[in-house]
Amino acid sequence: MFVRPLGETGRFACCEFIPVPDNRLLRQARDAITSDPLCLIWACRHAKETGTVLFMVHTHVAVTAAFSELDDKTERRVARCVMELTGVERFGAVVLSLKEHRARLWQSCGDDLVQTAVTLEA
């Protein structure tokens, strides 16, 4: 999902959504999905060219949206890798449940990454 910041409010508006094609999913298991890294690189370049921020979206089969321990563990590494490979300075993640969503943004801050909860608007 590609979003645009709504000023400095911590809110973002979705402007484009591109699903990962089924043939680019390398692994689909109950606890994780792995996609072709080239899809991620393409998406980051697209975000940079369009001035948008890439948010990776995934679902959890639950009533409450919450990032899992696995999300916490892997997202930081993915965000750092994405930033280093593509030169983008922000990378987001969204988890959807049946009734709600949670979103967070990773931003480059010197040698570290800062994670912030954000709001997405339709």
Side-chain angles (χ1 to χ4, degrees), residues 2 6-7 15 20 27 40 43 51 65 67 75 86 88 92 94 110-111 113:
F2 300 91
L6 297 172
C15 55
V20 175
R27 177 179 175 258
L40 184 58
F67 288 99
E75 261 179 38
T86 64
V88 298
V94 179
D111 291 335
L113 295 180

Side-chain angles (χ1 to χ4, degrees), residues 85-112:
L85 287 173
T86 64
V88 298
E89 295 184 5
R90 298 182 289 187
F91 174 79
V94 179
V95 62
L96 302 173
S97 73
L98 297 172
K99 296 184 178 186
E100 61 186 350
H101 76 275
R102 294 283 183 266
R104 59 187 178 189
L105 180 71
W106 294 93
Q107 297 182 83
S108 179
C109 185
D111 291 335
D112 201 8

